[in-house]
Amino acid sequence: MRQTPKTAAKKLQKKPVPGFGTPDFKHFLFAAAVLCGLVVIAYGNSLGNGFVWDDHRQIVMNPEVQPGAQLAPLITTDARFANFDPANQTTVYRPIQMLTYRAVVAGFGANPAAFHVCSVVSAMAGALAAFWLFWLLTRSLPMAFAAAALFAVYPVHTEAVDWIAALPDLGCGLFFLLAFVLFLVQRRWLAVAAFAIALLWKETALVFPALLAAYVLLQPSASRVRDSMKASAPYWIVVAIYLGVRTAVLGAISHSPRSWSLTPLQFLLSVAQLMLSYWVKLAWPIGLNAYYVFRPIRSPGDARVLLVVVFLGCMGAVVYVLRRSLLAVFAIAWVMLTLLPALNLNALGRNAFAERYLYLPSVGFCLLLVLAGGWLLGRVPEKARTLAGSVALIGIVAAFSWETIARNPDWKDDATLFAATLPDAQDSPFVHVMVASLLPDDHSEGSFAEHNYLEAVDLAKRETPPDRLDAVAAYQGLASLYSDRDQFDQALAELAQAREMAPNNPDADGEEGIILAHAGRGKEAEPLLERALAQQPHNENILTALGMIARDDEHDLARAASLFAEVLAVHTEADDFSASAHNNLGVVLGDENNYAAAVEQFRQAATIDPGDAEFHINLASSLAATGRFTEARAEAEAALKLAPSDPAVRDLATRLESANP
């Protein structure tokens, strides 16, 4: 007897999960516990990772997520890169992401471990929500568990889980799944609320009404078109409200961060090719990388056009063959529809293809895999089915877990991430820039950094259209590198190249001013730096350069101290830059004869970067000035171990040895 969607929905409402206290419920609970364990096993070694890539600006150095800051900007603006990069602001609206960051910082400080725990817990919740959804769709506990187990450890999720800045993919995915589950169990208003929360996590959730409509359309009913429109209507209303709020906040529904300069035909072919790439990665989730270079199809003669045609033909054939298996067709529709936001080239940045975009689509793919596996097991003798299915599932889950565990350490820190990324992204100017910028400043590594910057310039210029953003970043990196080598004329020449590529680049004045200040040309540098500071009032590099000019050229110690203190207020991450800022402030305080305060600044610098002899020797001098000779000698000995041939270090150590205790 055929059931209408309404009848089927009532059945779901009657028994959304196995009854409490029944054997089925115990099995359901045990399966859920196993899924949680799988997530912990797969991602346990990610908890020791640090902040990487956008994490630094979105969390550590973002004043909007620090305790005491007003909450309103997190809701009324795009606060991801507050005060750092105006070009990257007002591009997306994800208030729950920023509110979550604020809550974690308030509870645990800017501790990366706390954020990674948050991501792993979110992944665990997502696996449980997927399990519930699979059970509602299949009404088979073994099939639901198998699909959820694959989803829990799927290697393509590593970017979403390991990268803290990708938390919106997990949050949106969780509430997207909950909204669908709540719809199926007839908790419609709760489903609408969950959908609204998913939207506030990430705009990817916009496809939910279309997916829900597709589900209802696939149900056997004489009035399924009307039922589909009726079921999805409340969610389209939420979409309209969301788009209105988003437009009010951002000034537009969306912004285009990069122009691909494609004709309509090229755009469609490129989108189809991108869709194919995502299906391939779902089917073969190895060789994972943080950055994929996307090359649009610009000619009908491109060999990839044939692959696209074959792919589309095969998808059509598969859907036709499976037309009687409505759940399999729905699984394909899930993948296709949830991939749509990742196919909008005009709304995507430099890396159009990213693994984190596969978090939601993989739900449909895992279901499809299990349905295919069930079909294959149907061809196995009945007595051997359970064993064969169990062995296959354990083998695949073990392989996926191994790949995931092996991938997690790549996200340990920036240097590790981009060193692992470069081998498979040799034609990416952005990755070359990142690798070069993360290399040490000593001359032994300078040539390799220079090579990567030059490679980035060449690659960026050869892009169609030229990638001005990465070219300018590479030129600025070269300028900084040459400035560190005291090759100031060459550094200024590289900046001139950057200005030619991007005449309206807001960073140009600041970069030139920093180099001139480093060259000792403070009077020329100051007006450029002041002009740059007016546009970027919280740029720590500009503030540092102005502080150096105030201290060394103008001998205005009060202003220098104020500028260096502002640098530390902006750059809150404990790294070599903040260590240098503490040292700069300590020098100014020492010049003001405020040695007690100088001691604290030098001590913080030496604590952050204990391998820098300068910090220890400055601390030793300030301690001696306050009469703390025992501590001063210890610091001088530490400096002497680090720089035994430095005359200044040896001289101070000798003087302290003969000083009165």
Side-chain angles (χ1 to χ4, degrees):
M1 180 177 179
R2 305 178 82 184
Q3 291 182 335
T4 66
K6 185 174 181 180
T7 305
K10 286 182 177 179
K11 183 178 179 182
L12 291 174
Q13 182 182 17
K14 182 178 179 182
K15 189 180 177 184
V17 294
F20 181 78
T22 66
D24 280 348
F25 178 79
K26 293 178 181 178
H27 294 155
F28 194 92
L29 198 62
F30 177 74
V34 172
L35 290 173
C36 292
L38 287 175
V39 174
V40 171
I41 291 171
Y43 292 102
N45 66 330
S46 72
L47 300 182
N49 289 349
F51 293 112
V52 298
W53 209 342
D54 289 340
D55 297 344
H56 304 285
R57 293 186 301 168
Q58 289 192 13
I59 301 169
V60 184
M61 294 184 289
N62 191 338
E64 303 294 358
V65 302
Q66 304 307 316
Q70 294 183 350
L71 289 174
L74 301 180
I75 302 170
T76 60
T77 66
D78 174 14
R80 295 170 307 139
F81 301 100
N83 301 324
F84 285 93
D85 191 352
N88 276 332
Q89 288 181 279
T90 65
T91 58
V92 299
Y93 183 56
R94 301 171 185 172
I96 297 185
Q97 173 192 9
M98 304 313 298
L99 289 169
T100 303
Y101 289 166
R102 172 69 177 271
V104 175
V105 170
F108 305 96
N111 181 357
F115 283 92
H116 286 297
V117 168
C118 181
S119 292
V120 173
V121 170
S122 298
M124 195 180 301
L128 294 177
F131 177 43
W132 192 0
L133 174 64
F134 292 142
W135 189 86
L136 290 170
L137 292 174
T138 64
R139 289 295 164 164
S140 166
L141 194 58
M143 293 186 72
F145 174 76
L150 295 178
F151 180 78
V153 297
Y154 215 70
V156 293
H157 296 173
T158 51
E159 180 173 290
V161 181
D162 291 338
W163 190 17
I164 298 167
L167 183 62
D169 292 277
L170 300 178
C172 175
L174 170 61
F175 283 92
F176 191 103
L177 291 168
L178 287 176
F180 211 97
V181 165
L182 291 166
F183 170 80
L184 291 178
V185 298
Q186 295 291 292
R187 301 294 188 269
R188 297 298 170 85
W189 290 113
L190 288 177
V192 170
F195 169 57
I197 294 173
L199 277 174
L200 295 176
W201 264 109
K202 191 176 181 182
E203 56 280 0
T204 302
L206 284 167
V207 301
F208 181 85
L211 183 64
L212 190 148
Y215 173 79
V216 177
L217 276 172
L218 288 170
Q219 304 308 304
S221 169
S223 57
R224 54 188 177 181
V225 174
R226 185 185 63 188
D227 291 341
S228 174
M229 295 174 62
K230 182 178 178 180
S232 62
Y235 304 92
W236 290 118
I237 293 173
V238 173
V239 166
I241 295 171
Y242 166 79
L243 293 178
V245 172
R246 182 185 177 94
T247 302
V249 170
L250 304 180
I253 291 178
S254 66
H255 295 264
S256 180
R258 177 170 180 170
S259 172
W260 296 93
S261 299
L262 299 173
T263 67
L265 177 60
Q266 292 171 344
F267 182 88
L268 291 175
L269 289 173
S270 298
V271 164
Q273 187 257 328
L274 188 57
M275 173 72 83
L276 169 59
S277 299
Y278 278 120
W279 274 93
V280 170
K281 185 56 66 176
L282 282 170
W284 193 248
I286 63 173
L288 304 176
N289 209 36
Y291 197 98
Y292 295 84
V293 179
F294 176 68
R295 303 293 183 197
I297 294 178
R298 298 185 180 277
S299 168
D302 191 314
R304 292 174 296 174
V305 173
L306 178 59
L307 292 176
V308 165
V309 172
V310 172
F311 165 69
L312 295 176
C314 289
M315 290 303 300
V318 168
V319 171
Y320 179 78
V321 170
L322 297 176
R323 65 190 184 281
R324 296 187 183 278
S325 178
L326 298 182
L327 188 54
V329 174
F330 176 66
I332 294 173
W334 182 292
V335 178
M336 291 292 195
L337 290 173
T338 55
L339 272 176
L340 288 179
L343 303 179
N344 184 5
L345 293 176
N346 292 329
L348 300 173
R350 50 165 63 94
N351 54 332
F353 181 97
E355 292 165 7
R356 63 186 181 277
Y357 299 153
L358 286 171
Y359 184 76
L360 257 180
S362 66
V363 172
F365 193 78
C366 289
L367 177 59
L368 195 61
L369 284 178
V370 169
L371 292 174
W375 180 83
L376 289 174
L377 284 175
R379 272 66 185 161
V380 174
E382 187 173 353
K383 292 183 179 180
R385 286 177 190 173
T386 300
L387 178 61
S390 299
V391 170
L393 179 62
I394 292 172
I396 297 173
V397 168
F400 280 6
S401 299
W402 180 269
E403 180 74 11
T404 298
I405 292 169
R407 173 67 173 149
N408 294 332
D410 287 350
W411 293 86
K412 178 183 178 182
D413 52 42
D414 286 321
T416 303
L417 176 64
F418 287 103
T421 302
L422 183 60
D424 292 325
Q426 287 288 344
D427 52 350
S428 165
F430 170 75
V431 176
H432 281 284
V433 168
M434 293 302 296
V435 168
S437 67
L438 293 167
L439 290 171
D441 292 333
D442 56 45
H443 290 295
S444 64
E445 296 286 351
S447 59
F448 187 55
E450 183 178 8
H451 165 76
N452 277 280
Y453 281 131
L454 291 171
E455 185 72 13
V457 169
D458 181 59
L459 290 168
K461 285 185 172 180
R462 286 195 275 122
E463 296 241 351
T464 305
D467 186 344
R468 298 181 183 276
L469 182 64
D470 284 330
V472 168
Y475 278 128
Q476 290 176 344
L478 284 168
S480 178
L481 187 148
Y482 294 140
S483 178
D484 290 341
R485 297 179 186 175
D486 294 337
Q487 298 172 341
F488 301 114
D489 289 340
Q490 191 168 357
L492 293 172
E494 297 298 333
L495 279 186
Q497 294 270 27
R499 283 185 184 273
E500 185 178 342
M501 286 287 293
N504 298 320
N505 179 20
D507 296 331
D509 286 340
E511 294 291 334
E512 185 174 352
I514 290 168
I515 291 173
L516 290 172
H518 190 184
R521 296 158 62 178
K523 289 185 178 180
E524 297 175 65
E526 190 168 17
L528 290 169
L529 292 169
E530 293 288 1
R531 190 160 62 237
L533 191 65
Q535 294 186 351
Q536 303 177 57
H538 299 281
N539 186 306
E540 65 262 36
N541 294 309
I542 295 171
L543 290 167
T544 298
L546 285 170
M548 301 292 283
I549 292 171
R551 185 189 71 189
D552 300 333
D553 296 346
E554 299 172 352
H555 306 292
D556 186 345
L557 297 181
R559 184 166 189 258
S562 175
L563 287 164
F564 290 138
E566 190 172 350
V567 169
L568 289 168
V570 170
H571 192 100
T572 55
E573 190 165 9
D575 55 13
D576 56 351
F577 185 92
S578 62
S580 179
H582 281 294
N583 183 67
N584 288 333
L585 180 55
V587 170
V588 174
L589 293 171
D591 290 344
E592 292 179 325
N593 297 322
N594 188 355
Y595 295 111
V599 164
E600 294 307 313
Q601 295 301 320
F602 291 135
R603 193 179 298 282
Q604 289 192 59
T607 300
I608 294 171
D609 188 359
D612 194 313
E614 180 185 355
F615 302 157
H616 291 283
I617 205 67
N618 287 343
L619 177 56
S621 298
S622 294
L623 287 167
T626 60
R628 298 156 68 177
F629 290 105
T630 302
E631 296 175 72
R633 291 190 187 100
E635 293 300 328
E637 289 175 6
L640 195 60
K641 289 180 181 179
L642 292 169
S645 60
D646 188 320
V649 174
R650 295 177 64 86
D651 178 63
L652 180 61
T654 302
R655 286 189 286 112
L656 286 174
E657 283 296 327
S658 59
N660 292 325

